[in-house]
Amino acid sequence: MPEREEKAFLVSGVTIPVVELLSELQEKRQRTVDRTELRQGILARVYDRIDSDFPKHLERCRAFLRQKSVSATGDGIRETAQQVKSFIEEIGGNAAFWGNPAFPIVWGRVKGESDRTLIIYGMYDVQPADEPNWMSPPFEAAIHTLPHIGECVIARGAYNSKGVLCGLFNSLKTLVETDKIPVNLIFVIEGEEEVGSLQIEEFIRTHRDELKADAAADFDFSQDSRGRVRMHLGLKGIVYMDLICRGGKKGGPAETSLHGADSAWLSSPAWRLVHALSSLTDSEENIIIRGFCDNVAPPSAQDMESLEKLKTSFDEKVFLKEMRGICFKCNRQGIDLLVKGLYSPIININGFRTGYDGPGTKTLLPRKATAKVDIRFGPKMEPEEVVEKFKAHLFSTGFDDIEVRVRDSYTWSKTDVSESVVQDMLAAYRSLDVEPEVWPIATWTAPYFVFSRILGLPVVGGGLGHGGRAHAANEYMTVSGLRDFEKFVVTFLHLAAASQKGVAATPNGS
Amino acid sequence: MPEREEKAFLVSGVTIPVVELLSELQEKRQRTVDRTELRQGILARVYDRIDSDFPKHLERCRAFLRQKSVSATGDGIRETAQQVKSFIEEIGGNAAFWGNPAFPIVWGRVKGESDRTLIIYGMYDVQPADEPNWMSPPFEAAIHTLPHIGECVIARGAYNSKGVLCGLFNSLKTLVETDKIPVNLIFVIEGEEEVGSLQIEEFIRTHRDELKADAAADFDFSQDSRGRVRMHLGLKGIVYMDLICRGGKKGGPAETSLHGADSAWLSSPAWRLVHALSSLTDSEENIIIRGFCDNVAPPSAQDMESLEKLKTSFDEKVFLKEMRGICFKCNRQGIDLLVKGLYSPIININGFRTGYDGPGTKTLLPRKATAKVDIRFGPKMEPEEVVEKFKAHLFSTGFDDIEVRVRDSYTWSKTDVSESVVQDMLAAYRSLDVEPEVWPIATWTAPYFVFSRILGLPVVGGGLGHGGRAHAANEYMTVSGLRDFEKFVVTFLHLAAASQKGVAATPNGS
């Protein structure tokens, strides 16, 4: 667990006074970014070069996707790390490996034209690709036309996230070839994101001095299938746990599973785990652990302002349809729905397994039941508190024999909308004719806290382009989205170069 | 579901007046069976022949075990049915196949010396043998010496139940070769016991006229590892159900599983099934469905008498140890424990599966959760009532979207201790120096109701010999137990031949 940093809390929307109204700030920003000027000016040459080189860029991306890098097995990890190091060196940067030599963090830096410095966070590992039903082999990176989506590269990692990573280096290479990289960049590219980011916290803590920067950025294909961008200013924290209930002293088969008829005499770990889980939430999945939500911060004034704005564009029906749902879990609408979804801690059952689940019937009193649950929480809860309250609940309800194995945990992250880097990203979208929805916090998680809470930096994530089916068969990215993404990156870096730290920055300085 | 038969209820301990005290009856029986006389008389020659032929018997049994007969896959079923038919014909009987030609019921009859007729129920199919860790191939029927058990045949079906079935025909063959078969036998040997006895009820209903008999018997290696026999006068009924909870109208992902973060918005079939299950029982697994136990019959006076006797030999610690448990699920002792275990209906979770259960972490909002539960119940509940009350509970608690698929169900069976055939079996044990524990009902189930409830016959199950690890790797039967079993069968048949129908029968008639 990271130590709590005083500095870290300064980036949250609560402790910094809102010096200007959000709407005024955005108006100011929009005035200073003249899209036509941007397009006809310094970026026009870079855009043209991206267009003319795009066939090569696409092929480079496909070649990178053909290189396996499955962190679960280690397959191709070293080779891919070497490739990432070459990407950095190719644009004139210095790069090195850090940490476990089998899964190195590739880190390095390249000098830019301004005195602004961005940390680029990324990952080069992918999930296993053992799912059935791939339309072409997952490491072939074939091009297919998907209905309603268009021409796509089908590959493990196309969307999450090697397509993105190669697109980033395509952009940087183009900048170097046509002009200059406008900001100093520090790369922190890990090869263990899919197995829990095992080294990143230690890396960040031991390299504070080398990681002095103005902001951190994580690129992504952030457009949904309709081209809309959702930009998130924060992420929830997570505690991911295995719960294991065994027979033994509290009853149940102590050695092996038994015939189901023996449940007349011995208690069942399956029943115990069902009852223990059931005691955590009510029938609407609200957490009913006593005192669990005592420290949950309500939305800040600034967050509420974001939600008021978001409400005007947020289409509940489309949102639901994108999740392939028929109704929301709570009977709320508009801002109430957003507040409930974004700010209430939740417990999800990712998996539950016990006994026999094959075809037909088999009577069995299982000796063991296991569940995988995660708890997601926003400001101001912390992982230690979550684990402590969870265990205290099991203890006080008589389920203290259930083993709680915390597999993964990190805390929430939040960045103020007034940060320059946020405004630079918004401006980059707008200069490419996209108006994002700004969400004050996301329901998903990522280890952004290492930048926001340990280094005290604003963190921003985004990018044009669309992809989908992460962790699933036929993961894809659109071909046209890769090109848009590359243009987005160069635009954003140019805007970031012109920024000054602080809420009143403009792309030309001020 | 079988129709309820008036006749059927006559066999329960409740509706027949207890004409004699159990203890008096047993005393009378013991007086009339002179063990020495039996051994020196008509059976001595048969015992000798079993001893001298035993090497051949054992080899025949091993050969029969080498013939696969896996009903789940159909592998070897036809060949084994043919073999069973030959067994019947070899002893001078007539035999035929009935029903699904791929899984025929082998039925037939052989004339005996008396006018008594027994139906012999049996099965020739076995479970799959795909478990790892067999010490020798499951269809090799190799002989190994097991610690604390002795010389054993290791094979799928050795214990459950092809070892038993071949031992029975070894006995009958010996009887034919040395003397005569003392009673008329009707064989009903099915090849689908392990997949739910799919045809037996129809067979019984359509062959009532051909199945006129005095009793039904099911043979088994009934001794535990210490040589003790538990003899059961009844079996519980069972309803085995799959419960399936899907996303959709009641919330949750309607098409595919989603990222776990989406649980902020959509409800979870995993949570729904956990809450639905949890509403069925309290923390001690007592069923809390309203009115569920209203019709549960308490132990009859005769049952209580059996329990009083059983209490004197029932060793709770050893019983617990045999189940490899550390404590019982309820805090009771002696008769209270027996009554609770034997007469309370129970719900067992045989299996529960949802989402991801592999190594490490994967965040997932599953679209589906499934559980396999069974409900076991004794007199006077019936399967229809169980299913109806179960569904009504789900409906009234808002879980009516959970699909309830009844896979298997049959009702309880009970035979009065005073039935001749029960007394004959007790006498057979005693003549071989074994005093069984008499349990008024068992917690396990089998389709005995087709005989007791449809044909109105007393049903008895038992046999000497020991085996174990049914449905598991290294299933075994002891070599010496097979020999004891064969002697038991001939003894029992001779005693049954001498019986008369009715509560006051003695082996020599009266």
Side-chain angles (χ1 to χ4, degrees), chain A residues 269-280:
Chain A
W271 271 121
R272 280 186 69 68
L273 193 51
V274 161
H275 282 297
L277 284 172
S278 184
S279 74
L280 300 170

Side-chain angles (χ1 to χ4, degrees), chain A residues 240 254 263 265 268 271 275 278 281 285 324 329 346-348 350 352-353 356-357 360 362 364 372, chain B residues 240 254 263 265 268 271 275 278 281 285 324 329 346-348 350 352-354 356-357 360 362 364 372:
Chain A
Y240 194 109
S263 65
W265 310 105
S268 158
W271 271 121
H275 282 297
S278 184
T281 65
E285 299 178 29
R324 292 161 188 180
K329 75 195 273 188
I346 57 160
I347 303 182
N348 181 48
N350 299 280
F352 189 124
R353 175 103 190 233
Y356 178 72
D357 70 342
K362 181 171 184 176
L364 198 69
K372 287 178 181 283
Chain B
Y240 194 110
S263 65
W265 310 106
S268 159
W271 272 121
H275 282 297
S278 183
T281 65
E285 299 176 30
R324 293 163 188 178
K329 74 195 272 190
I346 56 159
I347 304 183
N348 181 47
N350 298 280
F352 188 125
R353 175 101 187 236
T354 189
Y356 178 73
D357 70 341
K362 181 172 184 176
L364 198 69
K372 287 177 182 285

Side-chain angles (χ1 to χ4, degrees), chain A residues 127 131 194-196 236 238 240 242 247-256 258-275 277-285 314 319-320 322-330 337-342 346-366 370 372-374 376 399 407-408 439 443-445 471, chain B residues 127 131 194-196 236 238 240 242 247-256 258-275 277-285 314 319-320 322-330 337-342 346-366 370 372-374 376 399 407-408 439 443-445 471:
Chain A
Q127 284 269 316
E131 311 88 356
E194 297 291 8
V195 291
K236 284 187 175 175
I238 189 168
Y240 194 109
D242 285 356
K249 283 185 184 170
K250 288 264 182 172
E255 287 179 35
T256 56
L258 297 173
H259 193 291
D262 291 330
S263 65
W265 310 105
L266 298 188
S267 66
S268 158
W271 271 121
R272 280 186 69 68
L273 193 51
V274 161
H275 282 297
L277 284 172
S278 184
S279 74
L280 300 170
T281 65
D282 65 18
S283 62
E284 292 178 332
E285 299 178 29
F314 177 57
F319 185 71
L320 193 59
E322 282 191 4
M323 288 185 293
R324 292 161 188 180
I326 292 173
C327 59
F328 287 99
K329 75 195 273 188
C330 65
L337 174 65
L338 288 168
V339 168
K340 173 77 181 166
L342 296 174
I346 57 160
I347 303 182
N348 181 48
I349 300 176
N350 299 280
F352 189 124
R353 175 103 190 233
T354 190
Y356 178 72
D357 70 342
T361 62
K362 181 171 184 176
T363 73
L364 198 69
L365 172 58
T370 58
K372 287 178 181 283
V373 304
D374 68 54
R376 291 157 194 271
F399 294 112
R407 284 209 165 260
D408 220 316
W439 291 59
T443 52
W444 43 277
T445 63
H471 300 203
Chain B
Q127 283 270 315
E131 310 88 356
E194 296 291 7
V195 291
K236 284 187 175 175
I238 188 168
Y240 194 110
D242 286 354
K249 282 185 186 169
K250 288 264 183 173
E255 286 177 30
T256 56
L258 297 173
H259 192 293
D262 291 330
S263 65
W265 310 106
L266 298 188
S267 66
S268 159
W271 272 121
R272 279 186 70 69
L273 193 51
V274 161
H275 282 297
L277 285 171
S278 183
S279 74
L280 300 169
T281 65
D282 66 16
S283 62
E284 290 178 334
E285 299 176 30
F314 177 57
F319 185 71
L320 193 59
E322 282 190 3
M323 289 185 291
R324 293 163 188 178
I326 293 173
C327 58
F328 287 100
K329 74 195 272 190
C330 65
L337 174 66
L338 289 168
V339 169
K340 173 76 181 167
L342 295 174
I346 56 159
I347 304 183
N348 181 47
I349 300 176
N350 298 280
F352 188 125
R353 175 101 187 236
T354 189
Y356 178 73
D357 70 341
T361 62
K362 181 172 184 176
T363 72
L364 198 69
L365 171 58
T370 58
K372 287 177 182 285
V373 303
D374 68 54
R376 290 155 193 273
F399 295 111
R407 284 209 165 260
D408 221 314
W439 291 60
T443 53
W444 44 275
T445 63
H471 300 203

Side-chain angles (χ1 to χ4, degrees), chain A residues 411-424:
Chain A
T411 196
W412 53 275
S413 172
K414 223 159 173 303
T415 294
D416 199 285
V417 68
S418 62
E419 289 285 350
S420 300
V421 73
V422 176
Q423 295 298 320
D424 296 336

